Amino acid sequence: MKTVLITGANKSIGFETARQLLQQGYYVYLGCRDKEKGSQAVSQLISEGLDQVEPIEIDVNNKESIKAAREVLGQKIKVLDVLINNAGISGTMDSALEVDITVLRDVFETNYFGVIEVTQAFTDLLNGASEPRIVNVTSGLGSLTLHDDPTWKYYPFKAAAYVSSKAALNAYTIMLAHSLRETAFKVNAVDPGYTATDFNHHSGPGTVPDAAARVVKAATLTAEGPTGKFFSDDNSPETGISPW
Ligand code: NAP
Protein backbone atom coordinates (compact mmCIF):
# COMPACT_ATOMS: atom_id res chain seq x y z
CA MET A 1 0.00 0.00 0.00
CA LYS A 2 1.44 3.39 -1.01
CA THR A 3 1.76 6.07 1.63
CA VAL A 4 1.21 9.81 1.36
CA LEU A 5 1.74 12.78 3.64
CA ILE A 6 -0.39 15.85 2.89
CA THR A 7 0.22 19.10 4.76
CA GLY A 8 -2.77 21.27 5.70
CA ALA A 9 -5.13 18.37 5.06
CA ASN A 10 -7.69 18.94 7.81
CA LYS A 11 -9.96 20.89 5.43
CA SER A 12 -10.66 22.14 1.92
CA ILE A 13 -8.40 21.03 -0.96
CA GLY A 14 -5.96 19.11 1.26
CA PHE A 15 -8.78 17.20 2.92
CA GLU A 16 -10.44 16.30 -0.36
CA THR A 17 -7.05 15.22 -1.75
CA ALA A 18 -6.79 12.87 1.23
CA ARG A 19 -10.26 11.51 0.50
CA GLN A 20 -9.54 10.89 -3.19
CA LEU A 21 -6.20 9.20 -2.49
CA LEU A 22 -7.87 6.99 0.13
CA GLN A 23 -10.41 6.02 -2.51
CA GLN A 24 -7.47 5.01 -4.71
CA GLY A 25 -6.06 2.75 -1.97
CA TYR A 26 -3.33 4.98 -0.53
CA TYR A 27 -2.56 5.08 3.20
CA VAL A 28 -2.89 8.74 4.16
CA TYR A 29 -1.03 10.65 6.85
CA LEU A 30 -3.29 13.66 7.20
CA GLY A 31 -1.17 16.66 8.13
CA CYS A 32 -2.73 19.20 10.48
CA ARG A 33 -1.31 21.94 12.68
CA ASP A 34 -4.20 21.57 15.12
CA LYS A 35 -4.52 18.08 16.60
CA GLU A 36 -8.23 18.42 17.30
CA LYS A 37 -9.04 19.55 13.74
CA GLY A 38 -6.95 16.66 12.40
CA SER A 39 -8.78 14.11 14.53
CA GLN A 40 -12.14 15.46 13.41
CA ALA A 41 -11.11 15.26 9.76
CA VAL A 42 -9.91 11.68 10.20
CA SER A 43 -13.16 10.73 11.98
CA GLN A 44 -15.11 12.13 9.05
CA LEU A 45 -13.16 10.00 6.57
CA ILE A 46 -13.48 6.89 8.73
CA SER A 47 -17.24 7.47 8.93
CA GLU A 48 -17.24 7.32 5.12
CA GLY A 49 -15.57 3.91 5.25
CA LEU A 50 -12.13 5.32 4.40
CA ASP A 51 -10.14 4.05 7.35
CA GLN A 52 -6.54 3.84 6.09
CA VAL A 53 -5.81 7.27 7.49
CA GLU A 54 -4.36 8.87 10.59
CA PRO A 55 -3.60 12.45 11.62
CA ILE A 56 -0.07 13.75 11.91
CA GLU A 57 0.59 17.03 13.65
CA ILE A 58 2.74 19.31 11.52
CA ASP A 59 2.94 23.08 11.50
CA VAL A 60 5.02 23.97 8.46
CA ASN A 61 6.06 27.26 10.09
CA ASN A 62 7.62 25.52 13.02
CA LYS A 63 10.98 23.75 12.76
CA GLU A 64 10.37 21.71 15.92
CA SER A 65 6.95 20.61 14.71
CA ILE A 66 8.39 19.45 11.36
CA LYS A 67 11.18 17.59 13.16
CA ALA A 68 8.70 15.93 15.52
CA ALA A 69 6.44 14.94 12.62
CA ARG A 70 9.41 13.38 10.82
CA GLU A 71 10.28 11.38 13.93
CA VAL A 72 6.71 10.21 14.44
CA LEU A 73 6.35 9.17 10.80
CA GLY A 74 9.76 7.47 10.84
CA GLN A 75 8.57 5.26 13.70
CA LYS A 76 5.57 4.19 11.65
CA ILE A 77 7.03 3.73 8.16
CA LYS A 78 10.39 3.37 6.49
CA VAL A 79 9.14 4.48 3.07
CA LEU A 80 7.00 7.45 2.08
CA ASP A 81 5.73 7.34 -1.50
CA VAL A 82 4.19 10.77 -1.88
CA LEU A 83 4.62 14.18 -0.25
CA ILE A 84 2.01 16.83 -1.00
CA ASN A 85 2.96 20.33 0.15
CA ASN A 86 -0.53 21.76 0.27
CA ALA A 87 -0.61 24.02 3.34
CA GLY A 88 -0.78 27.64 2.26
CA ILE A 89 -2.00 31.07 3.27
CA SER A 90 -3.08 34.08 1.26
CA GLY A 91 -1.95 37.03 3.38
CA THR A 92 -3.36 40.38 2.30
CA MET A 93 -4.26 41.44 -1.23
CA ASP A 94 -2.03 44.51 -0.95
CA SER A 95 -0.01 45.57 -3.95
CA ALA A 96 3.76 45.94 -4.20
CA LEU A 97 4.00 49.46 -2.75
CA GLU A 98 1.57 48.84 0.10
CA VAL A 99 2.31 45.32 1.29
CA ASP A 100 3.45 45.15 4.89
CA ILE A 101 6.81 43.44 5.21
CA THR A 102 5.51 41.37 8.13
CA VAL A 103 2.74 39.98 5.95
CA LEU A 104 5.25 39.27 3.21
CA ARG A 105 7.49 37.38 5.64
CA ASP A 106 4.56 35.42 7.11
CA VAL A 107 3.30 34.36 3.70
CA PHE A 108 6.77 33.31 2.59
CA GLU A 109 7.25 31.42 5.85
CA THR A 110 4.30 29.14 5.06
CA ASN A 111 4.15 29.05 1.25
CA TYR A 112 7.88 28.96 0.54
CA PHE A 113 10.23 28.27 3.46
CA GLY A 114 7.76 25.83 5.03
CA VAL A 115 7.60 23.78 1.84
CA ILE A 116 11.37 23.62 1.61
CA GLU A 117 11.84 22.65 5.23
CA VAL A 118 9.17 19.93 5.04
CA THR A 119 10.58 18.60 1.77
CA GLN A 120 14.11 18.39 3.12
CA ALA A 121 12.89 16.70 6.30
CA PHE A 122 11.02 13.94 4.46
CA THR A 123 13.26 13.33 1.44
CA ASP A 124 15.05 10.45 3.14
CA LEU A 125 11.76 8.58 3.58
CA LEU A 126 10.79 9.36 -0.01
CA ASN A 127 14.15 8.04 -1.21
CA GLY A 128 13.05 4.56 -0.19
CA ALA A 129 10.08 4.60 -2.58
CA SER A 130 10.31 3.04 -6.05
CA GLU A 131 8.27 5.90 -7.60
CA PRO A 132 8.51 8.89 -5.25
CA ARG A 133 6.33 11.91 -5.97
CA ILE A 134 6.46 15.45 -4.62
CA VAL A 135 3.58 17.79 -5.38
CA ASN A 136 3.90 21.46 -4.52
CA VAL A 137 0.48 23.05 -4.50
CA THR A 138 1.08 26.39 -6.14
CA SER A 139 -1.32 28.88 -7.72
CA GLY A 140 -1.97 29.92 -11.30
CA LEU A 141 -1.20 33.39 -9.93
CA GLY A 142 2.41 32.29 -9.53
CA SER A 143 3.02 32.57 -13.28
CA LEU A 144 5.38 35.50 -13.92
CA THR A 145 4.99 35.10 -17.68
CA LEU A 146 1.22 35.60 -17.43
CA HIS A 147 1.58 38.49 -14.99
CA ASP A 148 3.33 40.24 -17.88
CA ASP A 149 0.35 39.70 -20.19
CA PRO A 150 -2.34 42.42 -19.84
CA THR A 151 -4.88 40.18 -21.65
CA TRP A 152 -4.63 37.42 -19.01
CA LYS A 153 -7.85 37.05 -17.00
CA TYR A 154 -5.99 37.29 -13.68
CA TYR A 155 -3.70 40.15 -14.77
CA PRO A 156 -5.23 42.63 -12.27
CA PHE A 157 -4.63 40.24 -9.31
CA LYS A 158 -1.33 41.71 -8.16
CA ALA A 159 -1.38 40.57 -4.51
CA ALA A 160 2.33 41.12 -3.91
CA ALA A 161 2.89 38.72 -1.00
CA TYR A 162 0.91 35.72 -2.25
CA VAL A 163 1.95 35.98 -5.90
CA SER A 164 5.63 36.41 -5.01
CA SER A 165 5.50 33.45 -2.61
CA LYS A 166 4.01 31.12 -5.22
CA ALA A 167 6.40 32.36 -7.93
CA ALA A 168 9.24 31.58 -5.51
CA LEU A 169 7.72 28.18 -4.81
CA ASN A 170 7.63 27.54 -8.54
CA ALA A 171 11.32 28.43 -8.76
CA TYR A 172 12.13 26.03 -5.93
CA THR A 173 10.11 23.31 -7.67
CA ILE A 174 12.28 23.67 -10.79
CA MET A 175 15.45 23.59 -8.69
CA LEU A 176 14.29 20.50 -6.82
CA ALA A 177 13.20 18.67 -9.97
CA HIS A 178 16.63 19.36 -11.43
CA SER A 179 18.42 18.07 -8.35
CA LEU A 180 16.39 14.85 -8.59
CA ARG A 181 16.44 14.52 -12.39
CA GLU A 182 18.56 11.36 -12.41
CA THR A 183 16.19 9.57 -10.02
CA ALA A 184 12.68 8.08 -10.18
CA PHE A 185 11.25 11.18 -8.45
CA LYS A 186 8.58 13.28 -10.13
CA VAL A 187 8.51 16.80 -8.71
CA ASN A 188 5.81 19.12 -9.97
CA ALA A 189 3.93 22.30 -9.10
CA VAL A 190 0.15 22.08 -9.38
CA ASP A 191 -2.36 24.90 -9.54
CA PRO A 192 -5.63 23.53 -8.16
CA GLY A 193 -7.53 26.36 -9.87
CA TYR A 194 -9.51 29.22 -8.36
CA THR A 195 -11.68 27.24 -5.96
CA ALA A 196 -14.36 28.05 -3.40
CA THR A 197 -12.75 27.43 0.01
CA ASP A 198 -12.18 29.27 3.29
CA PHE A 199 -8.98 30.53 1.66
CA ASN A 200 -10.90 33.07 -0.44
CA HIS A 201 -14.16 33.26 1.57
CA HIS A 202 -15.64 30.81 -0.93
CA SER A 203 -15.40 33.26 -3.83
CA GLY A 204 -13.73 30.91 -6.31
CA PRO A 205 -15.79 29.42 -9.16
CA GLY A 206 -14.13 25.98 -9.02
CA THR A 207 -15.14 23.02 -6.87
CA VAL A 208 -12.99 21.37 -4.22
CA PRO A 209 -13.30 17.88 -5.81
CA ASP A 210 -12.05 19.24 -9.16
CA ALA A 211 -9.19 21.06 -7.44
CA ALA A 212 -8.16 17.98 -5.48
CA ALA A 213 -8.36 15.80 -8.60
CA ARG A 214 -5.64 17.97 -10.18
CA VAL A 215 -3.41 17.46 -7.17
CA VAL A 216 -4.12 13.73 -7.15
CA LYS A 217 -3.23 13.46 -10.84
CA ALA A 218 0.27 14.80 -10.15
CA ALA A 219 0.62 12.66 -7.02
CA THR A 220 -0.13 9.47 -8.95
CA LEU A 221 1.94 10.05 -12.10
CA THR A 222 3.38 6.92 -13.62
CA ALA A 223 7.05 6.46 -14.49
CA GLU A 224 6.35 7.94 -17.95
CA GLY A 225 4.89 11.13 -16.45
CA PRO A 226 6.60 14.53 -16.55
CA THR A 227 8.72 16.13 -13.86
CA GLY A 228 9.61 19.78 -13.28
CA LYS A 229 6.32 21.08 -14.69
CA PHE A 230 3.76 23.69 -13.65
CA PHE A 231 0.36 22.08 -14.15
CA SER A 232 -2.57 24.46 -14.51
CA ASP A 233 -5.84 23.68 -16.28
CA ASP A 234 -6.94 27.19 -15.35
CA ASN A 235 -4.02 29.01 -17.02
CA SER A 236 -3.70 26.63 -19.96
CA PRO A 237 -6.92 24.67 -20.57
CA GLU A 238 -5.58 23.16 -23.80
CA THR A 239 -2.29 21.72 -22.58
CA GLY A 240 -2.71 21.72 -18.80
CA ILE A 241 0.85 23.08 -18.55
CA SER A 242 1.24 26.71 -17.50
CA PRO A 243 4.10 28.96 -18.52
CA TRP A 244 6.32 29.71 -15.49
P1 NAP B 1 -7.69 26.70 3.06
O1 NAP B 1 -9.11 26.36 2.92
O2 NAP B 1 -7.36 28.00 3.70
O3 NAP B 1 -6.93 25.52 3.84
C1 NAP B 1 -5.56 25.68 4.10
C2 NAP B 1 -5.04 24.52 4.90
O4 NAP B 1 -3.66 24.79 5.18
C3 NAP B 1 -5.74 24.37 6.26
O5 NAP B 1 -5.79 23.00 6.58
C4 NAP B 1 -4.80 25.10 7.19
O6 NAP B 1 -4.89 24.66 8.54
C5 NAP B 1 -3.47 24.71 6.58
N1 NAP B 1 -2.36 25.54 7.03
C6 NAP B 1 -2.19 26.88 6.92
N2 NAP B 1 -1.03 27.26 7.48
C7 NAP B 1 -0.45 26.14 7.95
C8 NAP B 1 0.76 25.86 8.64
N3 NAP B 1 1.60 26.83 9.01
N4 NAP B 1 1.06 24.58 8.94
C9 NAP B 1 0.22 23.57 8.59
N5 NAP B 1 -0.95 23.77 7.98
C10 NAP B 1 -1.28 25.03 7.66
O7 NAP B 1 -6.95 26.73 1.62
P2 NAP B 1 -7.20 25.89 0.26
O8 NAP B 1 -8.06 26.70 -0.63
O9 NAP B 1 -7.58 24.49 0.55
O10 NAP B 1 -5.73 25.95 -0.34
C11 NAP B 1 -4.85 24.86 -0.30
C12 NAP B 1 -3.66 25.19 -1.18
O11 NAP B 1 -4.13 25.50 -2.50
C13 NAP B 1 -2.86 26.42 -0.72
O12 NAP B 1 -1.49 26.18 -0.90
C14 NAP B 1 -3.33 27.53 -1.66
O13 NAP B 1 -2.35 28.52 -1.84
C15 NAP B 1 -3.58 26.73 -2.94
N6 NAP B 1 -4.49 27.38 -3.86
C16 NAP B 1 -5.78 27.60 -3.51
C17 NAP B 1 -6.62 28.21 -4.44
C18 NAP B 1 -8.06 28.49 -4.12
O14 NAP B 1 -8.71 29.19 -4.93
N7 NAP B 1 -8.61 27.99 -3.02
C19 NAP B 1 -6.15 28.58 -5.72
C20 NAP B 1 -4.81 28.33 -6.03
C21 NAP B 1 -4.00 27.72 -5.10
P3 NAP B 1 -5.92 25.32 9.61
O15 NAP B 1 -7.25 24.71 9.36
O16 NAP B 1 -5.33 24.93 10.92
O17 NAP B 1 -5.91 26.80 9.36
Side-chain angles (χ1 to χ4, degrees):
M1 184 180 280
K2 285 193 172 180
T3 53
V4 53
L5 169 64
I6 310 167
T7 63
N10 53 281
K11 68 175 183 180
S12 307
I13 297 170
F15 177 71
E16 178 62 23
T17 301
R19 181 188 272 136
Q20 292 184 14
L21 284 170
L22 282 161
Q23 287 165 344
Q24 290 201 25
Y26 281 72
Y27 193 99
V28 173
Y29 293 95
L30 184 147
C32 51
R33 58 178 164 176
D34 180 304
K35 214 173 179 175
E36 187 51 36
K37 286 184 192 170
S39 300
Q40 281 174 14
V42 164
S43 298
Q44 170 64 34
L45 293 167
I46 291 173
S47 76
E48 296 172 18
L50 301 166
D51 58 1
Q52 300 298 297
V53 54
E54 58 186 287
I56 182 153
E57 218 178 320
I58 180 164
D59 180 339
V60 307
N61 285 354
N62 182 325
K63 198 181 274 298
E64 292 310 314
S65 170
I66 296 170
K67 203 172 154 209
R70 167 64 187 82
E71 274 169 24
V72 168
L73 200 63
Q75 282 159 14
K76 294 173 185 289
I77 50 175
K78 293 292 160 247
V79 172
L80 179 66
D81 293 282
V82 182
L83 170 64
I84 301 179
N85 288 306
N86 166 75
I89 59 170
S90 58
T92 63
M93 293 302 112
D94 292 333
S95 62
L97 287 174
E98 295 151 357
V99 67
D100 188 293
I101 197 74
T102 310
V103 171
L104 203 56
R105 285 190 206 281
D106 285 349
V107 172
F108 264 75
E109 205 58 62
T110 303
N111 296 1
Y112 180 67
F113 295 112
V115 171
I116 297 171
E117 213 158 359
V118 170
T119 301
Q120 290 180 345
F122 289 91
T123 304
D124 59 341
L125 288 179
L126 289 160
N127 271 328
S130 55
E131 296 188 328
R133 305 288 176 255
I134 297 175
V135 181
N136 291 336
V137 180
T138 184
S139 167
L141 294 176
S143 171
L144 295 180
T145 304
L146 293 174
H147 271 290
D148 193 37
D149 174 2
T151 67
W152 182 42
K153 63 179 170 179
Y154 297 126
Y155 182 76
F157 285 74
K158 296 286 194 266
Y162 184 67
V163 168
S164 305
S165 74
K166 292 297 190 181
L169 174 62
N170 287 352
Y172 178 71
T173 305
I174 302 178
M175 299 301 108
L176 183 62
H178 183 265
S179 293
L180 294 166
R181 69 193 180 287
E182 306 290 354
T183 72
F185 273 80
K186 305 286 181 199
V187 180
N188 291 291
V190 177
D191 165 29
Y194 188 18
T195 307
T197 69
D198 291 349
F199 191 83
N200 48 36
H201 310 291
H202 295 260
S203 63
T207 70
V208 170
D210 285 349
R214 294 179 177 127
V215 177
V216 167
K217 194 172 165 191
T220 57
L221 285 174
T222 61
E224 291 71 40
T227 189
K229 298 293 180 208
F230 176 5
F231 297 118
S232 176
D233 291 342
D234 210 358
N235 283 349
S236 310
E238 284 172 14
T239 61
I241 308 273
S242 176
W244 292 104

